[in-house]
Structure formats: C-alpha cells, structure tokens
Amino acid sequence: MKNLTISTLATLSLVLLGSYPALSQGIAIAPRFQPDPMVLQGTSGGSQASPNCGQLPATPNHVVQLNSDFPYLRFSLQGRGQPTLMIRLPNGSTSCVSADRATGTINAPGYWEQGSYQLYVGDRTGEQHPYTLSITQQR
C-alpha cells in the first residue's frame, strides 16, 4: 500500500465506484407540484429475479415521497423491451404493472395515500433499456 500514489488511488476509486449501480433518485412531491408532468429517466432491468416483474434492480430506481394524499396521480412509464414497474407501497406490499403490449406504455393511475413509494423498473426478458417515467396529476 505504501507504494500506491494518489493518482493510482483515485483511479482505483473510480473503477470501484463505477462497478456499482447508481443510487435511487429520491423526490418529494405535494399537490399542485410543478412541473406537471414531472419527468424522470433511468435504465430498466437488474440482477434480481421476480416471478411477476422479470429482472429488477436490487435497489429502487426512484423513491417518491408523497407529502399528502393525492385523489388522482398517474405514474406513466415508456421504454423499449418489455418493461415492468414494481411499486413498493408505504405498508410494504408490492404491486407489479406490465407494459401494454400494443403501446409499450405502463400506466398506474389512481388514488395515492401519503407516504413513501419505492419504484423498481424491471424488464421481463432481463435486458436493460433506457426509460422515461412521468408523474402527473392530469387525467
């Protein structure tokens, strides 16, 4: 260790950090949030097998904290491949939503209670693809 230079340590740190997935994106929203829709991006898929949602990441892609109940809120995901959206609800239960085969879009609309929601974007085939997630109060 004594012979390692600062440059070598910095390079080693970048290599090690590059081998881990990015941390989840955390956001907090309240009624009448702006911009609406709120648009997030990421990469689907992961190393964790799920019987209903294909391959998921080990950690959530996004953590959404709702600061209030939402009488209507819609999560819409558009991506290539066969994307899935697993949502871990504040009570710990999970729900998996698959893409509409004709459009490739996932929609999860409805009433959402205040709390923290963990969003995992998977892929049924285990592939990884870029996706766009929109959160809106618009019907």
Side-chain angles (χ1 to χ4, degrees), residues 24-28 40 59-65 116-119:
S24 355
Q25 295 181 7
I27 59 164
L40 307 170
T59 59
N61 298 83
H62 310 280
V63 178
V64 178
Q65 177 66 42
S116 182
Y117 293 81
Q118 298 175 7
L119 309 179

Side-chain angles (χ1 to χ4, degrees), residues 4 35 56-57 66 81 96 101 109 121 130-131 139:
L4 292 177
L56 297 169
L66 300 183
C96 182
R101 292 191 189 270
V121 182
Y131 67 83
R139 291 185 187 263

Side-chain angles (χ1 to χ4, degrees), residues 11-97:
T11 302
L12 181 59
S13 296
L14 288 174
V15 169
L16 290 175
L17 288 174
S19 64
Y20 290 98
L23 297 175
S24 355
Q25 295 181 7
I27 59 164
I29 59 175
R32 295 179 301 283
F33 63 87
Q34 290 296 322
D36 185 358
M38 183 176 297
V39 179
L40 307 170
Q41 297 181 336
T43 302
S44 66
S47 61
Q48 305 296 308
S50 165
N52 300 321
C53 274
Q55 294 295 119
L56 297 169
T59 59
N61 298 83
H62 310 280
V63 178
V64 178
Q65 177 66 42
L66 300 183
N67 294 335
S68 176
D69 291 351
F70 280 79
Y72 182 84
L73 191 67
R74 183 177 71 232
F75 294 92
S76 295
L77 188 134
Q78 181 73 42
R80 294 190 320 240
Q82 295 182 29
T84 60
L85 177 63
M86 186 181 85
I87 304 172
R88 184 173 308 277
L89 307 174
N91 67 9
S93 66
T94 59
S95 174
C96 182
V97 187

